């Protein structure tokens, strides 16, 4: 489990660095910070932990905020290039992939607990 956590953490750093090169640093960092949402989802799926209603509400608010930051063109339409940079949907997937990886790693860290075997 420790190796899985280390692998996911290493890939997170790689994708975080990549995200900072393909999009604005603030947008990329904010989208990379969605890992608690994915950690909660993976804990539910892998370890059958219960999610409270408050956790679900917080996850919904967090995902809504990330959509407002990424402003995908299929929801918000195209904007004038001088107003805001438009990102390829593939570039938005880079920090989201980083978040998924770190959430997966933290889920395994929860399983490890204090046992390091």
């Amino acid at each position: 489990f420790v190796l899985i956590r280390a692998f996911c953490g290493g890939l997170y750093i790689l994708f975080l660095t990549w995200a900072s090169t393909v999009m604005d640093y603030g947008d990329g960092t904010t989208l990379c910070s969605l890992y608690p949402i994915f950690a909660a989802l993976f804990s539910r799926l892998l370890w059958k932990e219960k999610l409270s209603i408050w956790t679900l509400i917080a996850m919904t608010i967090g995902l809504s905020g990330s959509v407002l930051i990424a402003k995908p063109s299929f929801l918000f339409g195209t904007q004038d290039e001088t107003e805001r940079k438009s990102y390829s949907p593939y570039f938005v997937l880079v920090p989201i992939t980083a978040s998924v990886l770190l959430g997966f790693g933290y889920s395994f860290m929860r399983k490890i607990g204090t046992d390091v075997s």
Side-chain angles (χ1 to χ4, degrees):
F1 288 129
V2 175
L3 291 176
I4 293 172
R5 166 63 179 107
F7 181 74
C8 289
L11 283 179
Y12 169 78
I13 295 297
L14 178 73
F15 276 86
L16 175 64
T17 305
W18 186 15
S20 68
T21 61
V22 296
M23 61 191 319
D24 286 339
Y25 186 74
D27 293 349
T29 303
T30 303
L31 291 175
C32 283
S33 298
L34 293 175
Y35 66 88
I37 294 170
F38 294 110
L41 287 176
F42 285 128
S43 293
R44 173 68 181 138
L45 294 173
L46 297 174
W47 318 125
K48 307 295 186 224
E49 292 185 6
K50 295 198 187 276
L51 295 178
S52 70
I53 188 71
W54 295 110
T55 304
L56 294 173
I57 290 171
M59 290 168 62
T60 304
I61 291 171
L63 284 175
S64 301
S66 69
V67 167
L68 291 175
I69 288 171
K71 291 190 178 182
S73 59
F74 62 88
L75 287 178
F76 294 97
T78 58
Q79 296 181 359
D80 184 19
E81 193 64 34
T82 59
E83 189 177 320
R84 178 177 167 85
K85 284 185 179 180
S86 63
Y87 305 122
S88 167
Y90 300 111
F91 289 159
V92 174
L93 287 177
V94 172
I96 292 175
T97 302
S99 294
V100 169
L101 286 168
L102 195 60
F104 191 71
Y106 274 130
S107 176
F108 271 92
M109 197 161 66
R110 168 89 172 160
K111 181 67 173 171
I112 294 168
T114 56
D115 178 39
V116 185
S117 56

